[in-house]
Amino acid sequence: MTIFDLSGKSALITGSSGGLGFAMARGLAQAGAQVILHGRNQDKLHEAHSALSSEGFNVLKISFDITDEAAIEKALGDLKGDGVYVDILVNNAGMQLRKPMIELTRNEWDTVINTNLSSAFLLGRNVARQMMERGQGGKMINIGSLMSSVARPTVGAYTAAKGGVRLLTQSMAAEWAEHGIQSNAIGPGYMITEMTQPLVDDPDFNGWITGRTPSRRWGTPEDLVGTVVYLASPASNYVNGQIIYVDGGMLAVL
Ligand code: GCO
């Protein structure tokens, strides 16, 4: 038993049928957790579930709209009905929308904010209520971004949401730490995923990233595994309200 051991714990990772979410789910399973995969695309979710089951991991799957309060309540109720409680919540699901703000509609703004920020509040609040009822504490891990601290043109709504995720995390710590709940965030840098593929395929942007990043490379979803296991484990029991940037040093240097 190490301080990174997650056996006996259940981890729900939103948006985990691919990309960053799947890599983190697999890492948490490797550390001993029962993982609950989540996604909206049933085929991708089924594929992800089969992939982890075939490796012998203890894995469940669930599908619900992370912006819908009733759907969240029902999903957690269904899990509880099966005797499954969320000990570790990774609010990972998100979306990007690249468009200058002067062209952004109110509906587009709301969609990005609801998906990337309000969802973390809604699911975090309901899971925290369950954790407090059980009195066994737990772990909240919110996935931020470099945009939790800095901006770039065309991603204004996303940046506002990810900035909000950083301070939502601190607010969770302020209110829930005394209940044995540690709330922290991870700020992934530029990772090669479905969301960033258009940027990877753009030679100018790609060159800018590899030149601007001290590690001289894009990150991979696997680069997040160590940090999520640390924040999910007893090793971080006195760590609260922090954001850990996993970005190859991009934010640390001019
Ligand atoms: C963009 C990207 C970024 C990354 C990531 C960086 O358009 O600049 O999508 O937002 O996804 O969030 O930390």
Side-chain angles (χ1 to χ4, degrees), residues 96 98 144-148 152-155 158-159 162 187-191 193 195-196 199 205 247:
Q96 179 60 284
R98 301 187 181 96
S145 158
L146 295 172
M147 277 75 186
S148 295
R152 82 173 185 89
T154 74
V155 289
Y158 179 90
T159 304
K162 292 298 188 178
Y190 279 92
M191 303 277 170
T193 65
M195 182 196 274
T196 59
L199 305 175
F205 198 96
D247 66 352

Side-chain angles (χ1 to χ4, degrees), residues 164-176:
V165 165
R166 179 159 61 91
L167 286 169
L168 172 66
T169 303
Q170 290 175 230
S171 301
M172 288 176 169
E175 294 189 12
W176 301 343

